[in-house]
Amino acid sequence: MSTDLNPSRLLDDIHNTTDPDPSLDLLKGFLKNEEFTKAMVASTDFLTNLANLLHTNIKDKSKLRLLSKYMSLIALIAHEEKHKSRVATVENGLIVDSLVIFVYDAVKIPERKQAVRILSYIADSVWTRDSIPQSLNKLYTDPTLVSYWIRKIQALPFDSEEQDMWVEMLQNTDLKIDQYKPGKHWYSADDFPFLKVLEENFDVIKREAEALRDHQEKLVPWPEKFITKTGWDVLGLYAFENKLDKLCAICPETTRLLETIPGLQTALFSCLRPRAHIKPHIGYYMYSEKILRVHLGVVVPTGCTIKINGEEHTWEEGKLIVFDDTFRHEAWNPSYDTTRVVLMFDILTDIPPESRNPEFWEKAQRQKGLGQDSLISNDLLQAIGSVMEDPAAIKNVKERPKQYL
């Protein structure tokens, strides 16, 4: 393979080399070169040729070695958030179409896992994930065939890593058959008259929120990295009934207003940076069934969205929304230059959890052994509260197992 950093020669080198696999170390070296990567991804001809080569050979099982080389290169590109959109959209989604066909037809071989991995990368981003159901609807115009495709793939003999990637891809793209749960996920703020004080004093809250730009060092990344790696920062005020005095002193009027709310459990300013995405997740067992979550929109760029139980909602500045976070939910900020800010807090509720979200309640009964106050361990909630005051405490926070999301 040529060591010349020339994107136009890369496909020829991969196609013609006699090595069993492309030199991935060399490819990775190419992709670490910012100018090379920029030229390669920006080159319509390069990605178009790559998409067409993949599509031309995708059904030829005698060319698995060559397909592996193409998919290795695509995986290296698609793994980078900033390049996923080009991979997903080139030639009207031809790469995604080819991978969908290949996964459907392939036996249990390493190349199939490569294809699933690329689809999982694309599904992982809110900006590109819709390309997968679009591809399915394009290739299988009968909706029953789409359902058949999903069931067939689920029945394949995946290994554990492949299964995890596949389930996550189905969840992120809303293709999972049982994605929408019965129950009540939205509530009217009018049903909680004690919350009105926040809307009535919105100007005070917004003024203190805007002043946070002078206290950036106090904002900490949300510690559970499986939800979002970067882009979600918080200023904690209350952590599971514990007042964080030093941080509350930064926002004294907001704190005073929150303290009028009966049953306050946790409160914070939630700051979602431009182009950031909080991935689909659910609340904590043995905590979330006791509370409802409330958001007050403070700074809301156009297009900012929260999606709960498959239903999308947008915030309004100065307006409250109330929801049940035992349902699967996510949020994203499509803005390129403005951080979305909401005041987020939890209040105790006497609405029986079995009437709100029956499936979550049933699972919670089975999972009690995991911890008395959380999903993963007895000290997770305390650790999250500590992170709000001390970013160094992040080392104490463990990831929740994927199978419980």
Side-chain angles (χ1 to χ4, degrees):
M1 183 175 291
S2 171
T3 58
D4 179 22
L5 292 180
N6 184 344
S8 64
R9 293 184 55 186
L10 184 58
L11 287 181
D12 285 340
D13 286 345
I14 290 176
H15 190 85
N16 295 326
T17 183
T18 58
D19 295 340
D21 296 294
S23 175
L24 292 185
D25 287 339
L26 186 56
L27 282 176
K28 289 176 182 177
F30 284 168
L31 293 173
K32 286 180 180 178
N33 183 292
E34 187 172 342
E35 291 304 314
F36 173 82
T37 304
K38 186 185 298 184
M40 180 178 66
V41 177
S43 170
T44 301
D45 288 344
F46 175 83
L47 282 176
T48 296
N49 291 340
L50 179 57
N52 282 297
L53 284 169
L54 180 70
H55 186 71
T56 299
N57 295 285
I58 201 70
K59 291 188 176 183
D60 189 344
K61 297 303 186 291
S62 69
K63 296 184 177 179
L64 287 176
R65 182 176 296 178
L66 183 61
L67 287 170
S68 177
K69 297 173 184 179
Y70 294 147
M71 287 192 283
S72 293
L73 179 56
I74 293 169
L76 287 168
I77 300 171
H79 185 258
E80 297 295 324
E81 185 70 32
K82 59 187 176 182
H83 302 322
K84 288 180 184 178
S85 179
R86 294 282 291 119
V87 172
T89 59
V90 66
E91 286 293 275
N92 195 30
L94 190 59
I95 288 177
V96 176
D97 292 350
S98 302
L99 295 173
V100 165
I101 292 169
F102 184 77
V103 171
Y104 184 80
D105 290 339
V107 294
K108 187 178 180 181
I109 52 177
E111 291 78 13
R112 189 185 71 194
K113 183 184 288 189
Q114 284 181 296
V116 172
R117 178 174 286 108
I118 296 167
L119 289 175
S120 73
Y121 289 160
I122 293 171
D124 188 53
S125 171
V126 69
W127 321 117
T128 57
R129 65 187 181 187
D130 286 348
S131 64
I132 296 175
Q134 287 169 2
S135 176
L136 283 170
N137 290 328
K138 180 170 53 177
L139 294 170
Y140 310 107
T141 53
D142 184 342
T144 60
L145 293 178
V146 175
S147 297
Y148 178 73
W149 184 88
I150 295 169
R151 289 195 299 272
K152 181 178 185 295
I153 303 302
Q154 286 176 309
L156 290 174
F158 288 120
D159 62 29
S160 59
E161 182 185 11
E162 202 171 9
Q163 180 69 28
D164 285 347
M165 290 189 295
W166 181 250
V167 169
E168 189 169 6
M169 190 272 283
L170 291 179
Q171 288 178 332
N172 287 343
T173 53
D174 281 348
L175 288 170
K176 198 173 181 185
I177 301 299
D178 61 348
Q179 185 63 50
Y180 307 104
K181 311 295 184 185
K184 185 173 181 179
H185 49 281
W186 290 115
Y187 291 80
S188 171
D190 294 337
D191 294 336
F192 307 90
F194 53 84
L195 296 176
K196 284 295 182 183
V197 66
L198 299 175
E199 290 185 344
E200 293 167 353
N201 291 273
F202 172 66
D203 289 344
V204 172
I205 296 171
K206 184 171 184 178
R207 186 164 57 248
E208 290 192 335
E210 290 175 338
L212 294 179
R213 64 173 65 95
D214 298 326
H215 300 277
Q216 290 295 307
E217 77 283 357
K218 299 296 185 183
L219 295 174
V220 296
W222 188 256
E224 295 170 291
K225 295 306 178 186
F226 68 93
I227 296 178
T228 183
K229 293 180 180 178
T230 61
W232 185 19
D233 301 316
V234 301
L235 181 86
L237 303 173
Y238 272 77
F240 314 105
E241 295 187 274
N242 297 308
K243 185 176 182 179
L244 308 178
D245 292 303
K246 292 180 180 179
L247 299 178
C248 285
I250 299 172
C251 307
E253 290 303 308
T254 300
T255 300
R256 179 184 63 79
L257 292 166
L258 285 169
E259 288 174 343
T260 69
I261 306 299
L264 181 71
Q265 299 294 293
T266 294
L268 51 90
F269 277 109
S270 170
C271 305
L272 194 62
R273 295 182 206 160
R275 307 299 291 176
H277 174 211
I278 300 172
K279 295 180 183 179
H281 61 286
I282 60 173
Y284 305 110
Y285 290 112
M286 305 305 292
Y287 172 74
S288 291
E289 60 259 42
K290 302 174 184 177
I291 61 95
L292 291 175
R293 177 148 297 164
V294 187
H295 284 184
L296 175 70
V298 180
V299 179
V300 184
T302 300
C304 284
T305 301
I306 181 169
K307 185 176 183 179
I308 302 176
N309 200 27
E311 183 180 346
E312 294 184 5
H313 189 95
T314 56
W315 298 271
E316 294 182 52
E317 294 185 5
K319 298 297 181 181
L320 293 158
I321 62 171
V322 183
F323 64 94
D324 184 338
D325 92 322
T326 64
F327 290 92
R328 189 166 171 271
H329 56 286
E330 61 179 315
W332 58 89
N333 177 3
S335 165
Y336 284 91
D337 55 13
T338 305
T339 295
R340 183 235 61 184
V341 181
V342 301
L343 179 64
M344 181 175 97
F345 59 97
D346 299 334
I347 56 173
L348 289 176
T349 179
D350 57 4
I351 303 173
E354 59 268 31
S355 69
R356 290 157 39 201
N357 187 347
E359 182 172 311
F360 183 94
W361 173 251
E362 190 272 334
K363 285 184 178 179
Q365 299 306 295
R366 296 203 312 262
Q367 300 293 338
K368 283 183 177 178
L370 287 170
Q372 293 302 305
D373 60 358
S374 69
L375 178 62
I376 183 63
S377 69
N378 288 328
D379 63 357
L380 176 59
L381 301 185
Q382 181 180 355
I384 291 174
S386 299
V387 167
M388 292 182 185
E389 287 196 294
D390 177 15
I394 198 167
K395 64 180 182 295
N396 297 319
V397 180
K398 302 175 182 177
E399 290 191 359
R400 286 186 280 170
K402 289 181 180 179
Q403 61 265 36
Y404 297 116
L405 296 182

